[in-house]
């Protein structure tokens, strides 16, 4: 996570949730990188935007990769937002709503 993302994650008590999600996403075959955008939290929009890099030499079925990413996010308490999954060539862009296990503004994760 970059500095701004880390700061937001710390502020909202989701650092470990993000780190765990990142580890599991990176374990998906063909995934090369994971970046989060948590800026919505600052505006009380509890969504995690995920940019997943992939090696197109390994990932021959992007739909399978997208399903694996969505399933992994679901296991971490994230829910589909209804936004379209975007394919940026060697990256997938996904938006997830935070489920009840993710703290809201003013809540502290225990």
């Amino acid at each position: 996570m970059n500095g701004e993302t880390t700061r937001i994650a710390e502020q909202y008590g989701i650092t470990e949730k993000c780190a765990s999600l990142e580890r599991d996403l990176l374990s998906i075959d063909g995934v090369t990188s994971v970046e989060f955008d948590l800026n919505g939290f600052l505006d009380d929009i509890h969504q995690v935007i995920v940019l997943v890099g992939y090696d197109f030499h390994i990932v021959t079925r992007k739909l399978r990769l997208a399903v694996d990413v969505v399933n992994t996010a679901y296991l971490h308490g994230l829910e589909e937002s209804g936004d379209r999954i975007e394919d940026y060539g060697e990256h997938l862009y996904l938006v997830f709503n935070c489920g009840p296990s993710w703290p809201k503004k003013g809540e502290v994760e225990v």
Side-chain angles (χ1 to χ4, degrees):
M1 291 191 295
N2 67 33
E4 177 68 11
T5 303
T6 299
R7 184 185 66 74
I8 295 169
E10 288 171 354
Q11 180 180 346
Y12 286 86
I14 57 173
T15 303
E16 183 49 42
K17 285 187 164 301
C18 290
S20 177
L21 174 60
E22 181 178 32
R23 280 190 301 273
D24 286 353
L25 290 173
L26 285 169
S27 73
I28 296 172
D29 193 38
V31 171
T32 58
S33 64
V34 175
E35 295 177 41
F36 298 115
D37 180 343
L38 304 174
N39 288 322
F41 277 78
L42 300 174
D43 295 320
D44 208 24
I45 301 169
H46 299 279
Q47 291 184 322
V48 176
I49 298 171
V50 183
L51 188 65
V52 177
Y54 62 89
D55 182 340
F56 67 90
H57 295 104
I58 296 172
V59 176
T60 56
R61 295 181 45 211
K62 289 183 252 183
L63 178 59
R64 178 75 250 160
L65 174 62
V67 168
D68 289 346
V69 170
V70 168
N71 287 341
T72 300
Y74 178 78
L75 293 173
H76 286 268
L78 296 173
E79 303 166 351
E80 292 183 71
S81 68
D83 290 16
R84 185 170 180 243
I85 297 172
E86 300 285 337
D87 181 4
Y88 295 154
E90 293 182 18
H91 293 84
L92 293 180
Y93 178 92
L94 303 98
V95 180
F96 296 100
N97 292 329
C98 295
S101 68
W102 288 69
K104 303 283 189 241
K105 189 173 187 175
E107 296 178 347
V108 177
E109 187 177 58
V110 183

